Amino acid sequence: MTLLAWAVEYARTLGKRYLRLDCDDLHPRLRAVYEGFGFRYHSQRQIGAYFVSRYEYQIPPQVI
């Protein structure tokens, strides 16, 4: 979870509104980690012989 939190903060410093990650469809535990952190399932895509699940996290605006 620490790495995901870092990735969100880093994306925020770059001015991004979303952080998108993907993983192999055959890794339900990793998908559960993403979902538990707050990522939402976006779509599925085939890349070569593999199917990946794509996730998206909306980065809230920084409050000053």
Side-chain angles (χ1 to χ4, degrees):
M1 295 291 195
T2 302
L3 185 57
L4 291 176
W6 175 85
V8 167
E9 289 307 313
Y10 184 67
R12 184 191 322 269
T13 66
L14 296 176
K16 304 298 181 185
R17 295 179 47 211
Y18 293 93
L19 177 61
R20 295 183 178 103
L21 300 174
D22 62 271
C23 65
D24 190 315
D25 255 0
L26 300 176
H27 288 95
R29 289 176 61 193
L30 180 56
R31 294 176 65 183
V33 168
Y34 287 171
E35 291 169 10
F37 188 84
F39 280 83
R40 292 186 180 196
Y41 178 80
H42 180 274
S43 59
Q44 184 184 58
R45 182 171 183 204
Q46 184 173 1
I47 300 176
Y50 301 97
F51 288 91
V52 296
S53 292
R54 299 164 64 180
Y55 284 88
E56 178 176 271
Y57 183 89
Q58 185 172 3
I59 299 172
Q62 189 170 7
V63 178
I64 299 175

Coordinates of all heavy atoms in Angstrom, one line a residue:
M1 N 0.8 -1.2 0.0 CA 0.0 0.0 0.0 C 0.9 1.3 0.0 O 0.5 2.3 -0.6 CB -0.9 0.0 1.2 CG -1.9 -1.1 1.2 SD -3.2 -0.8 -0.1 CE -4.4 -1.9 0.4
T2 N 2.0 1.2 0.6 CA 2.9 2.3 0.7 C 3.3 2.8 -0.7 O 3.4 3.9 -1.0 CB 4.1 2.1 1.6 OG1 3.7 1.7 2.9 CG2 5.0 3.3 1.7
L3 N 3.6 1.8 -1.6 CA 4.0 2.1 -2.9 C 2.9 2.7 -3.7 O 3.1 3.7 -4.5 CB 4.5 0.8 -3.6 CG 5.1 1.0 -5.0 CD1 6.3 2.0 -5.0 CD2 5.6 -0.3 -5.6
L4 N 1.7 2.3 -3.5 CA 0.5 2.9 -4.2 C 0.3 4.3 -3.7 O 0.1 5.2 -4.6 CB -0.7 2.0 -4.0 CG -0.7 0.7 -4.7 CD1 -2.0 -0.1 -4.3 CD2 -0.6 0.8 -6.2
A5 N 0.5 4.5 -2.4 CA 0.3 5.9 -1.9 C 1.4 6.8 -2.5 O 1.1 8.0 -2.9 CB 0.4 5.9 -0.4
W6 N 2.6 6.3 -2.6 CA 3.7 7.1 -3.2 C 3.4 7.4 -4.7 O 3.6 8.5 -5.1 CB 5.0 6.3 -3.1 CG 6.1 7.1 -3.8 CD1 6.9 8.1 -3.3 CD2 6.5 6.9 -5.2 NE1 7.8 8.5 -4.3 CE2 7.5 7.8 -5.4 CE3 6.1 6.1 -6.2 CZ2 8.1 7.9 -6.7 CZ3 6.7 6.2 -7.5 CH2 7.7 7.1 -7.7
A7 N 2.9 6.4 -5.4 CA 2.6 6.6 -6.8 C 1.5 7.7 -7.0 O 1.6 8.5 -7.9 CB 2.1 5.3 -7.5
V8 N 0.5 7.7 -6.1 CA -0.6 8.7 -6.2 C 0.0 10.1 -5.9 O -0.3 11.0 -6.7 CB -1.7 8.4 -5.2 CG1 -2.6 9.6 -5.0 CG2 -2.5 7.1 -5.6
E9 N 0.8 10.2 -4.9 CA 1.4 11.5 -4.6 C 2.4 12.0 -5.7 O 2.4 13.2 -6.0 CB 2.2 11.5 -3.2 CG 1.2 11.4 -2.1 CD 0.1 12.4 -2.1 OE1 0.5 13.6 -2.3 OE2 -1.0 12.1 -1.9
Y10 N 3.1 11.1 -6.3 CA 4.0 11.4 -7.4 C 3.2 11.9 -8.6 O 3.5 12.9 -9.2 CB 4.9 10.2 -7.8 CG 5.9 10.6 -8.8 CD1 6.9 11.5 -8.6 CD2 5.8 10.0 -10.1 CE1 7.8 11.8 -9.5 CE2 6.7 10.3 -11.1 CZ 7.7 11.2 -10.8 OH 8.7 11.6 -11.8
A11 N 2.1 11.2 -8.9 CA 1.3 11.6 -10.0 C 0.7 13.0 -9.8 O 0.6 13.8 -10.7 CB 0.2 10.5 -10.3
R12 N 0.3 13.2 -8.5 CA -0.2 14.5 -8.1 C 0.8 15.6 -8.4 O 0.5 16.7 -8.9 CB -0.7 14.5 -6.7 CG -1.3 15.8 -6.3 CD -1.6 16.0 -4.7 NE -1.9 14.8 -4.0 CZ -3.2 14.4 -3.8 NH1 -4.2 15.1 -4.3 NH2 -3.4 13.3 -3.2
T13 N 2.1 15.4 -8.0 CA 3.1 16.4 -8.3 C 3.3 16.7 -9.7 O 3.8 17.8 -10.1 CB 4.5 16.0 -7.6 OG1 5.0 14.9 -8.3 CG2 4.3 15.8 -6.1
L14 N 3.0 15.7 -10.6 CA 3.1 15.9 -12.0 C 1.8 16.5 -12.6 O 1.7 16.7 -13.8 CB 3.3 14.5 -12.7 CG 4.6 13.8 -12.3 CD1 4.7 12.5 -13.0 CD2 5.8 14.7 -12.7
G15 N 0.9 16.8 -11.7 CA -0.4 17.5 -12.2 C -1.4 16.5 -12.8 O -2.3 17.0 -13.6
K16 N -1.2 15.3 -12.6 CA -2.2 14.3 -13.2 C -3.4 14.2 -12.4 O -3.5 14.4 -11.2 CB -1.5 12.9 -13.2 CG -0.2 12.8 -13.9 CD -0.3 13.2 -15.3 CE 1.0 13.1 -16.1 NZ 0.9 13.6 -17.4
R17 N -4.5 13.9 -13.0 CA -5.9 13.8 -12.4 C -6.2 12.3 -12.1 O -7.1 12.0 -11.3 CB -6.9 14.4 -13.3 CG -6.7 15.9 -13.4 CD -7.8 16.6 -14.3 NE -9.1 16.1 -13.9 CZ -10.1 16.0 -14.8 NH1 -9.9 16.3 -16.0 NH2 -11.3 15.6 -14.4
Y18 N -5.5 11.4 -12.8 CA -5.8 10.0 -12.7 C -4.5 9.2 -12.7 O -3.5 9.6 -13.3 CB -6.6 9.4 -13.9 CG -8.0 10.0 -13.9 CD1 -8.3 11.1 -14.6 CD2 -9.0 9.4 -13.2 CE1 -9.6 11.6 -14.7 CE2 -10.3 9.9 -13.2 CZ -10.6 11.0 -13.9 OH -11.9 11.5 -14.0
L19 N -4.5 8.1 -12.0 CA -3.4 7.2 -12.0 C -4.0 5.9 -12.5 O -5.0 5.4 -12.0 CB -2.8 6.9 -10.6 CG -1.7 5.9 -10.5 CD1 -0.5 6.3 -11.3 CD2 -1.3 5.7 -9.0
R20 N -3.4 5.3 -13.5 CA -3.9 4.1 -14.2 C -2.8 3.0 -14.1 O -1.7 3.2 -14.4 CB -4.3 4.4 -15.6 CG -5.4 5.4 -15.7 CD -5.9 5.6 -17.1 NE -7.0 6.5 -17.1 CZ -6.9 7.8 -17.5 NH1 -5.7 8.3 -17.8 NH2 -8.0 8.6 -17.4
L21 N -3.3 1.8 -13.7 CA -2.4 0.7 -13.5 C -3.1 -0.5 -14.2 O -4.3 -0.5 -14.3 CB -2.2 0.3 -12.1 CG -1.5 1.4 -11.2 CD1 -1.5 1.0 -9.8 CD2 -0.1 1.7 -11.7
D22 N -2.3 -1.5 -14.6 CA -2.9 -2.7 -15.1 C -2.2 -3.9 -14.5 O -1.1 -3.8 -14.0 CB -2.9 -2.8 -16.6 CG -1.5 -2.7 -17.2 OD1 -1.0 -1.6 -17.4 OD2 -0.9 -3.8 -17.4
C23 N -2.8 -5.1 -14.6 CA -2.2 -6.3 -14.1 C -2.8 -7.5 -14.9 O -3.9 -7.4 -15.5 CB -2.4 -6.5 -12.6 SG -4.1 -6.7 -12.1
D24 N -2.1 -8.6 -14.9 CA -2.6 -9.8 -15.5 C -3.9 -10.2 -14.9 O -4.1 -10.2 -13.7 CB -1.5 -10.9 -15.3 CG -1.8 -12.1 -16.1 OD1 -2.9 -12.6 -16.2 OD2 -0.8 -12.6 -16.7
D25 N -4.8 -10.6 -15.7 CA -6.1 -11.0 -15.3 C -6.1 -12.2 -14.3 O -7.0 -12.4 -13.5 CB -7.0 -11.4 -16.5 CG -8.1 -10.4 -16.8 OD1 -8.1 -9.4 -16.1 OD2 -8.8 -10.6 -17.8
L26 N -5.0 -12.9 -14.4 CA -4.9 -14.2 -13.6 C -4.3 -13.9 -12.2 O -4.0 -14.9 -11.5 CB -4.0 -15.2 -14.3 CG -4.5 -15.6 -15.7 CD1 -3.6 -16.6 -16.4 CD2 -5.9 -16.3 -15.5
H27 N -4.3 -12.7 -11.8 CA -3.8 -12.3 -10.4 C -4.9 -11.6 -9.6 O -4.9 -10.4 -9.3 CB -2.6 -11.4 -10.5 CG -1.4 -12.1 -11.0 ND1 -1.0 -12.1 -12.4 CD2 -0.4 -12.8 -10.4 CE1 0.1 -12.8 -12.5 NE2 0.5 -13.2 -11.3
P28 N -5.8 -12.4 -9.1 CA -6.9 -11.9 -8.3 C -6.5 -11.2 -7.0 O -7.1 -10.2 -6.6 CB -7.9 -13.0 -8.1 CG -7.0 -14.2 -8.2 CD -6.0 -13.9 -9.2
R29 N -5.4 -11.6 -6.4 CA -5.0 -11.0 -5.2 C -4.5 -9.6 -5.4 O -4.7 -8.7 -4.6 CB -3.9 -11.9 -4.5 CG -4.5 -13.2 -3.9 CD -3.5 -14.1 -3.3 NE -2.8 -13.4 -2.2 CZ -1.7 -13.9 -1.7 NH1 -1.2 -15.0 -2.1 NH2 -1.1 -13.3 -0.7
L30 N -3.7 -9.4 -6.5 CA -3.3 -8.1 -6.9 C -4.4 -7.2 -7.2 O -4.5 -6.0 -6.8 CB -2.3 -8.1 -8.0 CG -1.7 -6.8 -8.5 CD1 -1.0 -6.1 -7.3 CD2 -0.7 -7.0 -9.6
R31 N -5.4 -7.7 -7.9 CA -6.6 -6.9 -8.3 C -7.3 -6.5 -7.0 O -7.8 -5.4 -6.9 CB -7.5 -7.7 -9.2 CG -6.9 -8.0 -10.5 CD -7.8 -8.9 -11.4 NE -9.0 -8.2 -11.7 CZ -10.0 -8.7 -12.3 NH1 -10.0 -9.9 -12.8 NH2 -11.1 -8.0 -12.6
A32 N -7.4 -7.4 -6.0 CA -8.0 -7.1 -4.7 C -7.2 -5.9 -4.0 O -7.8 -5.1 -3.3 CB -8.1 -8.3 -3.8
V33 N -5.9 -6.0 -4.1 CA -5.1 -4.9 -3.5 C -5.4 -3.5 -4.1 O -5.7 -2.6 -3.4 CB -3.6 -5.2 -3.6 CG1 -2.8 -4.0 -3.2 CG2 -3.2 -6.4 -2.7
Y34 N -5.5 -3.5 -5.4 CA -5.8 -2.3 -6.2 C -7.2 -1.8 -5.7 O -7.4 -0.6 -5.4 CB -5.8 -2.5 -7.7 CG -4.5 -2.6 -8.3 CD1 -4.4 -3.0 -9.6 CD2 -3.3 -2.4 -7.6 CE1 -3.1 -3.1 -10.3 CE2 -2.1 -2.5 -8.2 CZ -2.0 -2.9 -9.5 OH -0.8 -3.0 -10.2
E35 N -8.2 -2.7 -5.7 CA -9.5 -2.3 -5.4 C -9.6 -1.9 -3.9 O -10.4 -0.9 -3.6 CB -10.5 -3.5 -5.7 CG -10.6 -3.7 -7.2 CD -11.3 -5.0 -7.5 OE1 -11.9 -5.6 -6.6 OE2 -11.3 -5.4 -8.7
G36 N -8.9 -2.5 -3.0 CA -8.9 -2.2 -1.6 C -8.3 -0.8 -1.4 O -8.7 -0.1 -0.4
F37 N -7.4 -0.4 -2.2 CA -6.8 1.0 -2.1 C -7.7 2.0 -2.6 O -7.6 3.2 -2.3 CB -5.5 1.0 -2.9 CG -4.7 2.2 -2.7 CD1 -3.8 2.4 -1.6 CD2 -4.8 3.3 -3.6 CE1 -3.1 3.5 -1.4 CE2 -4.0 4.4 -3.4 CZ -3.2 4.6 -2.3
G38 N -8.6 1.7 -3.5 CA -9.6 2.7 -4.1 C -9.6 2.8 -5.6 O -10.3 3.6 -6.2
F39 N -8.8 1.9 -6.2 CA -8.8 1.9 -7.7 C -10.1 1.3 -8.2 O -10.6 0.4 -7.5 CB -7.6 1.1 -8.2 CG -6.3 1.8 -8.2 CD1 -5.5 1.8 -7.1 CD2 -5.8 2.4 -9.4 CE1 -4.3 2.5 -7.1 CE2 -4.6 3.0 -9.4 CZ -3.9 3.1 -8.3
R40 N -10.6 1.8 -9.3 CA -11.8 1.3 -9.9 C -11.4 0.5 -11.2 O -10.6 1.0 -11.9 CB -12.8 2.4 -10.2 CG -13.4 3.0 -9.0 CD -14.4 4.0 -9.4 NE -14.9 4.6 -8.2 CZ -16.0 5.3 -8.2 NH1 -16.7 5.5 -9.3 NH2 -16.5 5.8 -7.0
Y41 N -12.1 -0.6 -11.3 CA -11.9 -1.4 -12.6 C -12.3 -0.5 -13.8 O -13.4 0.1 -13.8 CB -12.8 -2.6 -12.5 CG -12.7 -3.5 -13.8 CD1 -11.6 -4.3 -14.0 CD2 -13.6 -3.4 -14.8 CE1 -11.5 -5.0 -15.2 CE2 -13.6 -4.2 -15.9 CZ -12.5 -5.0 -16.1 OH -12.4 -5.7 -17.3
H42 N -11.5 -0.4 -14.8 CA -11.7 0.4 -15.9 C -12.1 -0.4 -17.1 O -13.1 -0.2 -17.8 CB -10.5 1.3 -16.2 CG -10.6 2.2 -17.4 ND1 -10.4 1.7 -18.7 CD2 -11.0 3.4 -17.5 CE1 -10.6 2.8 -19.5 NE2 -11.0 3.8 -18.8
S43 N -11.3 -1.4 -17.4 CA -11.6 -2.2 -18.6 C -10.6 -3.4 -18.7 O -9.7 -3.5 -17.9 CB -11.4 -1.4 -19.9 OG -10.1 -0.9 -20.0
Q44 N -10.8 -4.3 -19.7 CA -9.9 -5.4 -19.9 C -9.4 -5.2 -21.3 O -10.1 -4.7 -22.2 CB -10.7 -6.7 -19.8 CG -9.8 -7.9 -20.0 CD -10.6 -9.2 -20.0 OE1 -11.5 -9.4 -20.8 NE2 -10.3 -10.1 -19.0
R45 N -8.1 -5.6 -21.5 CA -7.5 -5.4 -22.8 C -6.6 -6.6 -23.0 O -6.0 -7.2 -22.1 CB -6.7 -4.2 -22.8 CG -6.0 -3.9 -24.1 CD -5.4 -2.5 -24.1 NE -4.8 -2.3 -25.4 CZ -3.9 -1.5 -25.7 NH1 -3.3 -0.7 -24.7 NH2 -3.4 -1.3 -26.9
Q46 N -6.5 -7.0 -24.3 CA -5.6 -8.1 -24.7 C -4.4 -7.5 -25.2 O -4.4 -6.6 -26.1 CB -6.3 -9.0 -25.7 CG -5.4 -10.2 -26.1 CD -6.1 -11.2 -27.0 OE1 -7.2 -11.0 -27.4 NE2 -5.3 -12.3 -27.3
I47 N -3.3 -7.9 -24.7 CA -1.9 -7.5 -25.1 C -1.2 -8.8 -25.5 O -0.7 -9.5 -24.6 CB -1.2 -6.7 -24.1 CG1 -2.0 -5.5 -23.7 CG2 0.2 -6.3 -24.5 CD1 -1.4 -4.6 -22.6
G48 N -1.1 -9.0 -26.8 CA -0.5 -10.2 -27.3 C -1.3 -11.4 -26.8 O -2.5 -11.4 -27.1
A49 N -0.7 -12.4 -26.2 CA -1.5 -13.5 -25.7 C -2.1 -13.3 -24.3 O -2.7 -14.2 -23.8 CB -0.5 -14.7 -25.7
Y50 N -1.9 -12.2 -23.7 CA -2.3 -11.9 -22.3 C -3.5 -11.0 -22.3 O -3.6 -10.1 -23.1 CB -1.1 -11.3 -21.5 CG 0.1 -12.2 -21.5 CD1 1.1 -12.0 -22.4 CD2 0.2 -13.3 -20.6 CE1 2.3 -12.8 -22.4 CE2 1.3 -14.1 -20.6 CZ 2.3 -13.9 -21.5 OH 3.4 -14.7 -21.5
F51 N -4.3 -11.2 -21.3 CA -5.4 -10.3 -20.9 C -5.0 -9.6 -19.7 O -4.6 -10.2 -18.7 CB -6.7 -11.1 -20.8 CG -7.2 -11.6 -22.0 CD1 -6.9 -12.9 -22.5 CD2 -8.1 -10.8 -22.8 CE1 -7.4 -13.4 -23.7 CE2 -8.6 -11.3 -24.0 CZ -8.3 -12.6 -24.4
V52 N -5.2 -8.3 -19.7 CA -4.9 -7.5 -18.5 C -6.2 -6.7 -18.1 O -7.0 -6.4 -18.9 CB -3.8 -6.4 -18.8 CG1 -2.4 -7.1 -19.0 CG2 -4.1 -5.5 -19.9
S53 N -6.3 -6.6 -16.8 CA -7.3 -5.7 -16.2 C -6.7 -4.4 -15.9 O -5.6 -4.2 -15.4 CB -7.8 -6.3 -14.8 OG -8.4 -7.6 -15.0
R54 N -7.5 -3.4 -16.4 CA -7.0 -2.0 -16.2 C -7.7 -1.3 -15.1 O -9.0 -1.4 -15.1 CB -7.1 -1.3 -17.6 CG -6.3 -2.0 -18.7 CD -6.7 -1.6 -20.1 NE -6.5 -0.2 -20.3 CZ -6.7 0.4 -21.4 NH1 -7.2 -0.2 -22.4 NH2 -6.5 1.7 -21.6
Y55 N -7.0 -0.6 -14.3 CA -7.6 0.1 -13.1 C -7.2 1.6 -13.2 O -6.2 2.0 -13.7 CB -7.1 -0.5 -11.8 CG -7.7 -1.8 -11.5 CD1 -7.2 -3.0 -12.0 CD2 -8.8 -1.9 -10.8 CE1 -7.8 -4.2 -11.8 CE2 -9.4 -3.1 -10.5 CZ -8.9 -4.2 -11.0 OH -9.5 -5.4 -10.7
E56 N -8.1 2.4 -12.5 CA -8.0 3.8 -12.6 C -8.3 4.4 -11.2 O -9.2 4.0 -10.5 CB -8.9 4.4 -13.6 CG -9.0 5.9 -13.7 CD -9.9 6.3 -14.8 OE1 -9.4 6.5 -15.9 OE2 -11.1 6.5 -14.5
Y57 N -7.4 5.3 -10.7 CA -7.6 6.0 -9.4 C -7.7 7.5 -9.7 O -6.8 8.1 -10.3 CB -6.4 5.7 -8.5 CG -6.5 6.3 -7.1 CD1 -7.2 5.6 -6.1 CD2 -6.0 7.5 -6.8 CE1 -7.2 6.1 -4.8 CE2 -6.1 8.0 -5.6 CZ -6.7 7.3 -4.6 OH -6.8 7.8 -3.3
Q58 N -8.8 8.1 -9.3 CA -9.0 9.5 -9.5 C -8.2 10.2 -8.3 O -8.5 10.0 -7.1 CB -10.4 10.0 -9.5 CG -10.6 11.4 -9.8 CD -12.1 11.8 -10.0 OE1 -13.0 11.0 -9.8 NE2 -12.3 13.0 -10.3
I59 N -7.3 11.1 -8.7 CA -6.5 11.8 -7.7 C -7.2 13.0 -7.3 O -7.5 13.9 -8.1 CB -5.1 12.2 -8.3 CG1 -4.4 10.9 -8.7 CG2 -4.3 13.0 -7.3 CD1 -3.1 11.1 -9.5
P60 N -7.6 13.1 -6.0 CA -8.3 14.3 -5.5 C -7.4 15.5 -5.5 O -6.2 15.4 -5.4 CB -8.7 14.0 -4.1 CG -7.9 12.8 -3.7 CD -7.4 12.1 -4.9
P61 N -8.0 16.7 -5.8 CA -7.1 17.9 -5.8 C -6.5 18.2 -4.5 O -7.1 17.8 -3.4 CB -8.1 19.0 -6.2 CG -9.5 18.4 -6.0 CD -9.4 17.0 -6.0
Q62 N -5.3 18.7 -4.5 CA -4.6 19.0 -3.3 C -5.2 20.2 -2.6 O -5.4 21.3 -3.3 CB -3.1 19.3 -3.5 CG -2.3 19.4 -2.3 CD -0.8 19.3 -2.6 OE1 -0.4 19.4 -3.8 NE2 0.0 19.3 -1.6
V63 N -5.5 20.1 -1.3 CA -6.1 21.3 -0.6 C -5.0 22.0 0.0 O -4.1 21.5 0.7 CB -7.1 20.8 0.5 CG1 -7.7 21.9 1.3 CG2 -8.2 19.9 -0.2
I64 N -5.0 23.3 -0.2 CA -3.9 24.2 0.3 C -4.4 25.0 1.5 O -5.5 25.4 1.6 CB -3.4 25.1 -0.8 CG1 -2.8 24.3 -1.9 CG2 -2.3 26.1 -0.2 CD1 -2.3 25.1 -3.1

